Amino acid sequence: MAQKSILQQKRAAYQPKLPSALWGPVVAVEGAPTQSVADQEAIKALFPNTYGLPELTFEKDTTSDKSKMESDKTLNVGVILSGGQAPGGHNVISGLFDGLKALNKKNRLYGFLMGPAGLVDHNYKELTKDIIDEYRNTGGFDIIGSGRTKLEKPEQFEKGLEIIKELDIQALVIIGGDDSNTNAAVLAEYYKAKGEPVQVIGWPKTIDGDLKNEFVETSFGFDTATKVYSEVIGNIERDCNSSKKYWHFIKLMGRSASHIALECALQTQPSYCIISEEVEAKKMTLRDIADDIARVVALRADEGMNFGTVLIPEGLIEFVPAMKTLIAELNDLLAHNPQFSTMTREAQRELVLNNLSKENAATFATIPAGVARQLTLDRDPHGNVQVSLIETEKLLSAMVGKRLASMKKEGKYTGKFATLHHFFGYEGRCAAPSNFDADYCYALGYNASLLIHCGATGYMSSVRNLAAPSVQWKAGGIPITMMMNMERRNGVDKPVIKKALVELDGAPFKEFAAHREQWAHETCFIYPGPIQYFGPDEVCDITSRTLYYEQQGK
Ligand code: FBP
C-alpha cells in the first residue's frame, strides 16, 4: 500500500456535501424534448435513437416515507476515465460507488483500466470498498488510470460489448471532456440501435473549463487546477515585486479556450494577459500581440518598473487567424498523408510547402523553424494539434525583445528587459481537489447512479446552481446530443460537443477588460496562496471567479 502524507490521511475523512435533493428518495422529472445547439438535421440523422430526449431533474420524492433511495434490482456498472487528468476524478467514482451501494448493497462497480482502451482490450478490475476508501478526496486518475484512445469504430463497440456481457454490465459511465462525451453519445446510440440493454452516461471533466453550457455550469477540475496555478503565479508575482528585475512569461494549459488564463488573471491581476478569443475577434497577428506587450513593458519601465507578469493561454496559436487557417489545412494534409511521421524532416517540410495553398505556405515559411515543426508533429487521437508542445511563451518574449530593441533605437524605451519562462499545466491536473471539486465530483458521481437507476442513456450527469452552497445544488441529466454540432476533424465532418470558448460579452471577460489597463500601469498583484482544506468556509469553499461572475445576478 502506498504511503500517505499527513494531509492525505486527514483529508480522507472529509465527507463531501451532497445537494439536499439527493439526500433521500428522488423522482426524475422530465422536461421538454431537446434539440442540438446547431446542425439539428445532421445530428438527428446520426442519432435517430437518442436525439431529442428530455432534460431530467431529480426532485425529492415527497410521497415516499423511506429515508433513502433503494432498489431490489441489482446493477453492475463499468466506469472509464478518459483523456487528461482533472482533480476530482476519484471523487466522481466514490460518489458513483456510494450511490450504487445505497441503491442496493449487491450492486457492483468495475473500472476499465487506462482509459477507453481498457474496455476494448478487456482490462478491468472490480472497485471494492477498500479500494474506493484509499482514493477518497485525492487527486489523480491512478485508481484505474486514463487514456486517450478514441472509441469510434463499430469493431471497438463490439469488443466492448463482449466484456459488458461477460460481466453482466447494465451501464457504462465515461468520465471525459468534449471529445470523450461525444464518444459516450455515439456508444449510447450504437447500443440502443442494436437493442442492447446497455446504458451509457457521461460526466463533464476537463481542467480546460471549455465543456460548459446552460446545463453544465463548469467542468470538474477547473476550480482546483486554476487555484493551483494562481497560487504559483501569485508566488511568482511576489518574487518579481521583491526583486523588481524580471518579466515572467507564463504559459497556462488549456488546449483551446482561454478560460484558465482568464480565471488566473482574475485571481492574480497580472501586468498582462492574452485572451485567445479576443485575438481572434480583433484579427490580431503574433506581431500585434508582441507590440502590445512591448507597449506595456515600456510604460512600466517609464515608472521604474522593469518587471511584470504575462499570462499566455496554451491554445493561442490556433486563434491567430493566419495560423488558424494554416493549422486547419495542415490537419487535412496530415490526415491524408499517413506516411508523414516516417519521413525525414526535410521531406516533411517539402511536402508541406508543396501542398499548402499559396497563402498558408507563405505563413508557414515565415514562422520560426522550431514552431513550424511543432505544428506538424503527430496529432492526438482526436486530430488536435498538441499545443502544449508549442513554446509560445519563448516565441512571444523573443518578439517583444526585438520590438523593445527597435523602440530603444527610436528613443521610445529606456528600460531593462530580462525574461524568465514558465509553463503551468501538469502541476495542477492531479492536485488534491478543492472542497468545490470534491463536493461537485461526488455529487456528479452519486447523481449518475440515479440516472442509471432510472434507465437513462445518452445523458450527461448534471449538477447545477453551483455558485450557491452545495446543499442547494440541483441535480439531473441532460441529453448529450443537445450539446452537439458538426465540426471538421481529421479532414471529415463529425458530430462533436460544441466547445465553450471565452465569451467576450460575458461577465468574467468584462471584469478583466475593465481592469487590465490599471493592472498594466500599476502593480496590482494579488497573492491567492494555497488551496485551504481546513478552516473557515469562506476560504475553503470559495468558487472560481469565473463561476462567481457568470452566476452573479442569476
Ligand atoms: P482533456 O481535454 O482531456 O481534459 O485534457 C486537457 C489537457 O490538460 C489540455 O489542457 C492539454 O493541452 C492536454 O490535456 C495535454 O494532454 P496530454 O498530457 O495528454 O498531452
Side-chain angles (χ1 to χ4, degrees):
M1 199 64 51
Q3 280 198 324
K4 289 183 189 154
S5 68
I6 295 172
L7 176 66
Q8 201 181 326
Q9 290 169 32
K10 295 285 171 204
R11 185 68 177 160
Y14 176 73
Q15 179 52 52
K17 304 182 271 294
L18 268 186
S20 61
L22 303 185
W23 287 353
V26 298
V27 281
V29 179
E30 285 192 8
T34 57
Q35 52 176 342
S36 59
V37 285
D39 309 313
Q40 287 86 7
E41 286 313 310
I43 307 282
K44 192 175 177 181
L46 290 164
F47 295 88
N49 297 284
T50 48
Y51 186 85
L53 295 167
E55 184 200 334
L56 297 175
T57 309
F58 290 123
E59 289 179 6
K60 256 186 209 314
D61 182 357
T62 46
T63 62
S64 169
D65 52 8
K66 292 192 175 145
S67 62
K68 64 182 183 108
M69 189 87 175
E70 283 170 326
S71 165
D72 294 335
K73 195 177 159 213
T74 53
L75 288 169
N76 288 345
V77 173
V79 62
I80 299 175
L81 288 163
S82 179
Q85 284 70 254
H90 290 157
N91 270 31
V92 187
I93 296 179
S94 55
L96 173 63
F97 179 86
D98 290 351
L100 289 172
K101 291 291 180 188
L103 283 167
N104 186 326
K105 285 204 164 28
K106 293 193 191 127
N107 287 346
R108 298 172 91 163
L109 181 60
Y110 294 96
F112 288 100
L113 307 181
M114 302 309 294
L119 177 73
V120 179
D121 301 336
H122 302 185
N123 288 327
Y124 66 91
K125 73 173 172 196
E126 183 172 355
L127 297 171
T128 57
K129 183 175 181 311
D130 285 351
I131 298 176
I132 294 286
D133 286 348
E134 280 296 306
Y135 288 91
R136 289 181 192 272
N137 306 313
T138 58
F141 278 7
D142 43 319
I143 186 169
I144 47 175
S146 184
R148 288 197 185 276
T149 300
K150 191 167 166 58
L151 276 183
E152 59 179 354
K153 300 190 185 99
E155 308 88 83
Q156 295 172 309
F157 303 162
E158 289 298 326
K159 284 297 285 175
L161 203 50
E162 285 172 18
I163 190 70
I164 284 172
K165 286 185 172 166
E166 192 181 314
L167 297 173
D168 191 22
I169 284 176
Q170 290 87 38
L172 201 58
V173 193
I174 301 182
I175 306 177
D178 49 350
D179 287 329
S180 309
N181 275 283
T182 298
N183 296 350
V186 173
L187 202 58
E189 175 65 28
Y190 183 86
Y191 290 148
K192 189 113 188 244
K194 279 196 76 176
E196 297 291 351
V198 189
Q199 298 163 244
V200 186
I201 303 288
W203 274 316
K205 170 239 60 166
T206 176
I207 60 162
D208 292 1
D210 56 6
L211 174 46
K212 67 173 170 182
N213 48 52
E214 203 187 332
F215 302 101
V216 180
E217 292 173 2
T218 186
S219 53
F220 79 74
F222 176 77
D223 184 85
T224 309
T226 52
K227 280 179 175 141
V228 172
Y229 305 144
S230 298
E231 176 203 348
V232 186
I233 295 165
N235 294 349
I236 288 176
E237 288 181 335
R238 199 144 216 171
D239 190 287
C240 131
N241 201 14
S242 304
S243 62
K244 303 193 192 295
K245 62 178 180 183
Y246 291 124
W247 271 90
H248 292 263
F249 282 71
I250 305 169
K251 184 173 77 167
L252 291 161
M253 240 187 199
R255 187 203 308 283
S256 185
S258 306
H259 298 292
I260 292 182
L262 177 57
E263 171 65 23
C264 293
L266 291 169
Q267 287 195 37
T268 63
Q269 303 191 169
S271 323
Y272 200 94
C273 175
I274 301 167
I275 300 297
S276 308
E277 290 81 346
E278 186 181 28
V279 166
E280 183 171 41
K282 291 186 172 167
K283 299 189 172 38
M284 292 171 83
T285 61
L286 281 175
R287 168 72 47 82
D288 295 333
I289 301 167
D291 287 357
D292 199 45
I293 300 173
R295 172 188 70 82
V296 170
V297 172
L299 70 85
R300 286 179 69 85
D302 286 347
E303 302 297 322
M305 297 182 287
N306 287 302
F307 65 91
T309 44
V310 179
L311 305 190
I312 304 159
E314 181 185 49
L316 174 65
I317 287 280
E318 287 187 282
F319 284 80
V320 175
M323 301 295 277
K324 189 177 179 170
T325 51
L326 167 65
I327 290 170
E329 203 180 348
L330 278 174
N331 285 346
D332 277 4
L333 194 66
L334 262 59
H336 291 115
N337 288 280
Q339 79 286 10
F340 190 84
S341 59
T342 59
M343 294 164 67
T344 63
R345 282 193 189 194
E346 295 68 38
Q348 285 180 338
R349 194 169 167 84
E350 208 178 296
L351 184 140
V352 168
L353 287 170
N354 289 342
N355 287 281
L356 285 178
S357 64
K358 212 172 137 203
E359 210 178 31
N360 285 334
T363 309
F364 189 79
T366 55
I367 50 181
V371 177
R373 180 160 160 68
Q374 283 163 342
L375 289 179
T376 60
L377 291 179
D378 281 351
R379 274 30 185 176
D380 75 5
H382 299 278
N384 302 311
V385 176
Q386 302 196 45
V387 282
S388 58
L389 302 177
I390 301 173
E391 294 183 315
T392 28
E393 68 283 21
K394 291 191 181 151
L395 174 69
L396 274 174
S397 82
M399 291 175 77
V400 173
K402 258 192 175 173
R403 171 78 184 142
L404 290 170
S406 50
M407 285 170 76
K408 210 165 228 174
K409 276 192 198 143
E410 293 162 18
K412 292 180 182 160
Y413 169 66
T414 51
K416 285 188 190 131
F417 184 59
T419 55
L420 289 171
H421 304 98
H422 315 265
F423 169 39
F424 298 140
Y426 297 99
E427 294 79 352
R429 293 205 311 184
C430 281
S434 60
N435 272 5
F436 175 85
D437 272 328
D439 293 351
Y440 181 42
C441 291
Y442 188 81
L444 283 171
Y446 200 95
N447 183 55
S449 72
L450 299 171
L451 287 171
I452 296 167
H453 172 71
C454 73
T457 189
Y459 276 80
M460 186 184 286
S461 177
S462 150
V463 173
R464 289 180 266 156
N465 198 29
L466 298 174
S470 45
V471 289
Q472 293 169 26
W473 292 353
K474 295 184 169 62
I478 54 163
I480 301 177
T481 52
M482 191 182 170
M483 296 178 268
M484 287 183 155
N485 68 166
M486 299 297 289
E487 282 176 27
R488 200 153 179 82
R489 296 285 175 90
N490 279 333
V492 190
D493 287 334
K494 293 242 163 158
V496 291
I497 292 179
K498 195 170 161 52
K499 252 189 212 315
L501 300 177
V502 168
E503 288 175 8
L504 301 183
D505 57 357
F509 180 80
K510 281 188 180 164
E511 179 69 22
F512 160 72
H515 295 98
R516 62 178 154 186
E517 225 23 60
Q518 188 195 356
W519 301 347
H521 280 81
E522 299 163 26
T523 296
C524 301
F525 300 152
I526 291 181
Y527 317 119
I531 295 175
Q532 298 297 307
Y533 301 98
F534 300 95
D537 291 352
E538 67 267 29
V539 185
C540 296
D541 289 355
I542 190 168
T543 59
S544 69
R545 299 296 76 203
T546 303
L547 196 61
Y548 170 78
Y549 290 119
E550 279 174 351
Q551 298 292 310
Q552 226 180 17
K554 279 195 182 167

